[in-house]
Amino acid sequence: MVKAIVGACWGDEGKGKITDVLAGESDVVIRFQGGSNAGHTIINDYGKFVLHQLPSGVFHGNITNIIGNGVALSVEKFKAELDGLTSRGVPMPKILVSDRCQLVMPYHVELDSMEEARLSARSFGSTKSGIAPFYSDKFAKIGFQVSELFDDKESIMAHIEQLLAVKNCLYVNLYGQKPLSADDIYAKLMEYKEVLAPYAADTLSFVHDAVKDGKTILLEGQLGSLKDTDFGIYPMVTSSNTIAGYGAVGAGVPPYEIKEIIATVKAYSSAVGAGEFVSEIFGDEADELRRRGGDGGEYGATTHRPRRMGWLDLLASRYGCQVQSATAVAFTVLDALSYLDEIPVCVAYELDGERIDYFPPTSKLKHCKPILEVLPGWKCDIRGIKEYSELPENARRYVEFAEEHIGVPIKMVSNGPSRNDIIYR
């Protein structure tokens, strides 16, 4: 069976933990899109880790972890993550990198930073990890695939000269920088070749053999539905498709084999970066929720920026689950709300004076105001509870209220940061 774990909203919903939990039942875990611009926080017996590109199955010795062809691969960060694991006592995981995966180059990172600076107040809130320039090059057909590292020098240099005709126009004429050097780029590619040689593989054949052999495969997405290039809050989105269906492209999995799609929905809302956020809260109210949220406060796993905070948005969550074609929901960070006497929930929007019950495109979304319904809190610590029936009545009511509005069964409830803080329904 192939399962996918994806985010329903802005990302930051706890996908890493849910993947870590379900990885124990899997044979293969595949990252199928995105890059090092967002992280997954995992707390287990080895400690607390933030994974940016490595699949969340790396803590299980029995799992083959694959970085799929849809990933924007930063080789420097890949190596740093691996070294960071093994230096803290994690056994070297089994890892394959698709030979069709493409590389984030240093000039992608530089271009990302220079463009954000140029845009100034109109910037996209990029993490400056090179993701947008990377995907731009990929679809302009001037990116470097892993397999190309093993080509002859003459072919690689011809490719470099082709891309420099474009890149140096930007460097010199738009950003006022010195032109890039072909020799420097070639030298960097050879560094990458040395790092990736032990891991580069034909992962498409591996995946299809795994499917044929009845292996359990877990697809791990990055960010969430509202950051998807096509279905998200465009243009304040990421540069890849964050939906489970893209797993068939970014991992090479037959689309008809994806049988379960688990969308993670946070019990409140949070977001990093710019973009529409109807249920957002501010001031002391936001600071308190931010302080109590996550596994040590709501701060970006990659950027460490304070996350924007808001109440649970049921329109966004329902829309996100529809986009993902979710078959189940993992409802996360419920424990963070235990301090509240009453908990506001966004159940509809007001648009031009009228109530709407759907999630509109950005041109309309920016004019929406939240319509809130207030639910009673439970005012006690719920960490450590293992059975759903043992949750306080108001906590159960909160979960079931969300489930009714989202329209997808909530099968898992996370009530704490560690791998063991999980309740199955």
Side-chain angles (χ1 to χ4, degrees):
M1 174 183 286
V2 180
K3 302 179 183 179
I5 298 178
V6 285
C9 295
W10 293 266
D12 312 315
E13 293 111 349
K15 294 182 297 299
K17 171 184 171 174
I18 303 303
T19 308
D20 185 45
V21 168
L22 296 182
E25 309 165 5
S26 305
D27 302 298
V28 181
V29 178
I30 308 175
R31 267 291 303 273
F32 65 86
Q33 51 82 216
S36 61
N37 53 318
H40 294 164
T41 301
I42 293 176
I43 300 174
N44 55 31
D45 294 341
Y46 294 105
K48 179 179 176 179
F49 298 85
V50 179
L51 302 181
H52 299 274
Q53 295 181 124
L54 294 181
S56 296
V58 291
F59 300 101
H60 302 262
N62 61 304
I63 290 174
T64 299
N65 297 274
I66 294 177
I67 295 178
N69 55 276
V71 172
L73 179 61
S74 167
V75 180
E76 290 92 349
K77 293 182 179 179
F78 168 77
K79 185 177 186 303
E81 277 192 67
L82 267 183
D83 291 345
L85 291 185
T86 55
S87 68
R88 294 175 60 186
V90 179
M92 175 60 76
K94 301 174 184 175
I95 296 178
L96 299 178
V97 175
S98 171
D99 56 9
R100 297 177 186 272
C101 190
Q102 293 204 17
L103 303 170
V104 176
M105 299 296 294
Y107 52 78
H108 290 138
V109 178
E110 292 172 353
L111 287 166
D112 201 355
S113 297
M114 291 187 293
E115 179 63 5
E116 286 288 279
R118 187 185 72 84
L119 290 172
S120 186
R122 297 178 292 112
S123 70
F124 294 99
S126 169
T127 61
K128 302 175 184 176
S129 303
I131 303 304
F134 163 88
Y135 278 108
S136 178
D137 280 5
K138 180 174 182 177
F139 292 107
K141 298 177 283 293
I142 57 173
F144 287 99
Q145 285 190 338
V146 168
S147 62
E148 194 172 353
L149 298 175
F150 304 91
D151 205 347
D152 60 87
K153 182 175 181 178
E154 183 180 0
S155 297
I156 296 173
M157 290 300 292
H159 185 164
I160 293 173
E161 293 298 338
Q162 176 192 11
L163 76 90
L164 286 184
V166 176
K167 295 303 173 192
N168 280 339
C169 283
L170 294 174
Y171 264 74
V172 175
N173 299 319
L174 182 60
Y175 300 118
Q177 303 294 316
K178 294 180 180 179
L180 297 168
S181 159
D183 289 338
D184 288 346
I185 292 174
Y186 181 79
K188 181 60 66 176
L189 290 171
M190 292 304 98
E191 289 179 24
Y192 293 167
K193 176 181 178 179
E194 184 176 353
V195 172
L196 294 177
Y199 309 104
D202 173 11
T203 58
L204 178 67
S205 296
F206 181 94
V207 168
H208 276 254
D209 287 343
V211 170
K212 189 186 307 180
D213 293 341
K215 303 292 187 183
T216 299
I217 299 172
L218 204 57
L219 302 178
E220 180 180 14
Q222 182 208 56
L223 296 170
S225 304
L226 304 188
K227 291 294 186 177
D228 182 78
T229 302
D230 291 286
F231 291 100
I233 51 173
Y234 189 87
M236 301 302 185
V237 293
T238 192
S239 300
S240 65
N241 289 105
T242 62
I243 59 174
Y246 188 72
V249 178
V253 172
Y256 51 80
E257 293 290 349
I258 304 175
K259 304 298 186 184
E260 291 186 16
I261 299 172
I262 301 164
T264 51
V265 175
K266 190 177 271 186
Y268 51 93
S269 298
S270 67
V272 170
E276 304 307 321
F277 189 173
V278 176
S279 69
E280 187 171 9
I281 57 178
F282 304 92
D284 293 343
E285 190 175 43
D287 290 341
E288 183 70 5
L289 182 56
R290 184 181 299 111
R291 184 178 69 82
R292 294 177 179 270
D295 53 58
E298 287 285 0
Y299 298 89
T302 299
T303 63
H304 306 296
R305 290 182 292 188
R307 289 179 178 139
R308 299 163 63 192
M309 305 302 298
W311 302 121
L312 173 62
D313 185 332
L314 291 171
L315 271 69
S317 300
R318 180 170 66 241
Y319 171 80
C321 287
Q322 290 171 343
V323 165
Q324 298 288 3
S325 301
T327 61
V329 164
F331 201 59
T332 62
V333 210
L334 184 64
D335 54 296
L337 300 177
S338 296
Y339 72 100
L340 291 162
D341 293 308
E342 295 181 322
I343 307 172
V345 178
C346 181
V347 296
Y349 296 157
E350 180 186 321
L351 175 60
D352 298 331
E354 295 184 5
R355 178 185 176 119
I356 63 170
D357 298 297
Y358 63 91
F359 190 82
T362 308
S363 59
K364 294 181 179 179
L365 189 64
K366 65 184 179 182
H367 300 295
C368 290
K369 299 177 182 178
I371 296 176
L372 302 174
E373 188 167 330
V374 178
L375 301 181
W378 47 93
K379 294 290 290 183
C380 64
D381 186 8
I382 61 172
R383 291 189 182 184
I385 295 175
K386 299 298 182 186
E387 298 294 331
Y388 183 72
S389 61
E390 295 177 6
L391 283 174
E393 179 183 357
N394 285 345
R396 297 197 306 273
R397 286 177 61 188
Y398 188 82
V399 172
E400 290 156 18
F401 184 86
E403 181 179 60
E404 179 182 354
H405 282 75
I406 293 171
V408 177
I410 293 176
K411 297 290 185 70
M412 304 170 71
V413 177
S414 173
N415 61 328
S418 78
R419 177 189 287 174
N420 299 320
D421 292 326
I422 201 82
I423 299 170
Y424 295 93
R425 294 179 75 218

